[in-house]
Amino acid sequence: LKLSKEGLFDDSYKKDIPLFIKNIVIITSLNGVVKDDIIKIIKTRANYQKIFLYPTTVQGKDAAFQISNAINNVNKNMTPDVIIIARGGGSIEDLWPFNDERLARSVFNSNIPIISAIGHETDFTICDFVSDKRASTPSDAAKIVSINQEEMLQYLDEIHIYLDNTIKKTI
């Protein structure tokens, strides 16, 4: 309630996720398959993107502190287009660090757009509501940040045709 009254959940503060993303920071654990799934999907869809892993604990009493520090450190020392905070599913106790007030404030204060990819489709945390975009799963986050290369080529063809027609009309 306190965070809501302060406006941390308001859409007016949410940053847009860029359409063409070149650099991605993934804040997640090095253990488990979450990082592997995200990387595989991104590399399959858009192999031109650079992925930087920022390893943290994503469960337990130190997780919220580590993730918050990671967000602050990325904002201070890196210039990615987007940050993904990712963790696979688990019990409500496992996901509890993503309800931490300090973490919520770090997400809100980030100058870099943040996608929250915590748990499964039915899991919701405060981090989801404060972030600029919620992905229903970590795999969904990978699809959000990576434009399929075939779609990109089709888009470029459409731009080419539009420019060609505009030039012909002008001449």
Side-chain angles (χ1 to χ4, degrees):
L1 190 60
K2 175 183 170 184
L3 299 177
S4 181
K5 283 183 179 178
E6 290 180 33
L8 271 67
F9 305 146
D10 291 355
D11 287 342
S12 63
Y13 293 112
K14 303 217 181 279
K15 293 170 281 309
D16 292 331
I17 305 301
L19 182 59
F20 302 109
I21 296 171
K22 292 181 186 173
N23 298 302
I24 303 162
V25 169
I26 303 169
I27 298 174
T28 192
S29 171
L30 291 180
N31 301 325
V33 298
V34 168
K35 71 172 176 17
D36 298 327
D37 288 347
I38 293 172
I39 292 169
K40 180 182 174 188
I41 290 168
I42 290 172
K43 289 301 176 190
T44 300
R45 292 171 52 91
N47 62 12
Y48 59 88
Q49 291 177 313
K50 291 182 184 166
I51 302 169
F52 302 90
L53 288 176
Y54 197 114
T56 65
T57 299
V58 292
Q59 183 174 323
K61 64 178 183 148
D62 293 332
F65 177 76
Q66 285 188 25
I67 297 164
S68 179
N69 283 345
I71 293 166
N72 297 336
N73 196 3
V74 169
N75 272 271
K76 198 179 290 184
N77 299 309
M78 301 176 78
T79 56
D81 299 306
V82 69
I83 297 171
I84 297 173
I85 302 172
R87 190 216 189 279
S91 68
I92 188 69
E93 293 83 14
D94 292 341
L95 302 179
W96 199 252
F98 299 95
N99 290 318
D100 182 84
E101 181 178 343
R102 175 184 27 219
L103 175 57
R105 292 188 186 285
S106 292
V107 169
F108 181 79
N109 291 324
S110 174
N111 295 318
I112 302 162
I114 294 182
I115 298 174
S116 175
I118 311 302
H120 300 298
E121 290 182 32
T122 56
D123 297 321
F124 287 91
T125 65
I126 289 174
C127 186
D128 293 325
F129 296 114
V130 177
S131 67
D132 300 299
K133 180 129 181 100
R134 176 190 181 265
S136 59
T137 63
S139 296
D140 185 41
K143 291 175 186 169
I144 290 169
V145 299
S146 59
I147 294 177
N148 186 313
Q149 291 174 144
E150 290 176 18
E151 293 172 15
M152 176 75 81
L153 289 173
Q154 181 179 353
Y155 174 71
L156 291 173
D157 282 345
E158 290 170 8
I159 289 175
H160 179 263
I161 290 168
Y162 171 78
L163 289 174
D164 191 49
N165 288 340
T166 303
I167 291 170
K168 285 178 183 175
K169 285 179 185 175
T170 304
I171 293 175

